[in-house]
Amino acid sequence: MSTVSEDAAREPVISLRGVTAELGSRRVLRGVDLAVRRGEVVALLGANGSGKSTAIRTIVGQVPVTGGEIEIFGTPRRRFRDWARVGYVPQRTTAAGGVPATVTEVVSSGRLSRARFGVLRRADRDAVRHALEQVGMADRARDSVEALSGGQHQRVLIARALASVPELLIMDEPMAGVDLASQEVLAATLREQVERGVSVLLVLHELGPLEPLIDRAVVLRDGCVLHDGPPPRAVGQHALPGHDHVHPHADHAEPTRTGLLS
Ligand SMILES: Nc1ncnc2c1ncn2[C@@H]1O[C@H](COP(=O)(O)OP(=O)(O)OP(=O)(O)O)[C@@H](O)[C@H]1O
């Protein structure tokens, strides 16, 4: 007989059933089933254009679904309002977005969902400072985000997601274009979150330094789930057998193809 806490642990914090979505006239998701259970770290993998970002964006409501069901913490997505429980890191954009803002201002925006009446109080400012410490950016708190490197930008976006102390993190390629030092900081940050019991769904091109944290991998191909199970084991430089993701920044864009991800 299972205990109450075991049942709670099995309850999905994200559930997609038969989800379809179209962009333009293209069917980008063609019946995706995906579940992330409490405390799980799930990597969403697949070749370029397989629908990973679209799947993530249907969950946070940026892409409308044309069929199927999405639940967040057991609530149908369209009725879900408790976004302070969810930290979202979009596919890398600059944190500045053309608007001059300091690091603190950007990270504070991630705390507004917890602030009463939209006013940041002392506890909120402490949470913002703590989030910056978690990603090793506390010393840059007053700097303009425009002055940061790509990896530092990414750390700030992750701090913004952590500022509401979420129970669920959804991240779209958190390591893309991030220098090695920042990658290590981000891997350590994520490890702390996982130790706290935070559930994580993240799009990755390669498991890389996050590999030890990943419980399960869901591989998409052409808008369908091709694999849902143990993560592919690391091989050589790229952490995926059949790694066939072409990086825009890769020096040699000639991947090995074994079929799993193509
Ligand atoms: N706004 C859009 N209008 C039409 N088609 C789009 C749009 N955005 C994405 N697509 C197409 O939808 C498909 C899935 O894109 P998506 O970004 O979800 O893939 P992905 O697996 O995240 O790819 P990548 O690894 O390159 O980020 C691609 O073929 C893409 O060209």
Side-chain angles (χ1 to χ4, degrees), residues 217-249:
V218 175
V219 180
L220 293 186
R221 177 156 70 188
D222 204 12
C224 297
V225 175
L226 177 68
H227 166 90
D228 184 342
R233 279 191 300 127
V235 172
Q237 194 184 359
H238 292 300
L240 293 172
H243 175 94
D244 60 358
H245 192 98
V246 179
H247 295 258
H249 50 85

Side-chain angles (χ1 to χ4, degrees), residues 54-82:
T54 306
I56 292 269
R57 296 177 76 221
T58 61
I59 300 166
V60 295
Q62 291 181 347
V63 169
V65 297
T66 49
E69 289 167 22
I70 300 181
E71 287 180 352
I72 305 178
F73 293 113
T75 301
R77 211 218 77 82
R78 64 185 173 284
R79 290 216 314 268
F80 184 75
R81 298 283 175 271
D82 209 356

Side-chain angles (χ1 to χ4, degrees), residues 97-161:
V99 179
T102 66
V103 165
T104 296
E105 285 167 343
V106 170
V107 177
S108 297
S109 69
R111 183 68 193 182
L112 287 174
S113 54
R114 290 261 187 228
R116 289 182 69 199
F117 310 119
V119 178
L120 294 182
R121 288 156 204 272
R122 182 169 179 172
D124 300 309
R125 290 194 295 274
D126 287 348
V128 168
R129 197 172 313 115
H130 181 59
L132 280 170
E133 281 164 6
Q134 284 177 295
V135 298
M137 290 292 285
D139 58 333
R140 306 296 301 269
R142 288 159 187 259
D143 291 357
S144 163
V145 283
E146 286 169 341
L148 305 179
S149 71
Q152 290 167 338
H153 256 135
Q154 191 68 342
R155 292 202 222 175
V156 169
L157 291 176
I158 289 170
R160 182 178 68 176

Side-chain angles (χ1 to χ4, degrees), residues 23-24 26 28 47-54 91 173 205 245:
L23 288 171
R26 207 186 141 170
V28 176
N48 289 110
S50 53
K52 306 181 296 294
S53 293
T54 306
Q91 193 161 30
E173 296 196 42
H205 281 166
H245 192 98

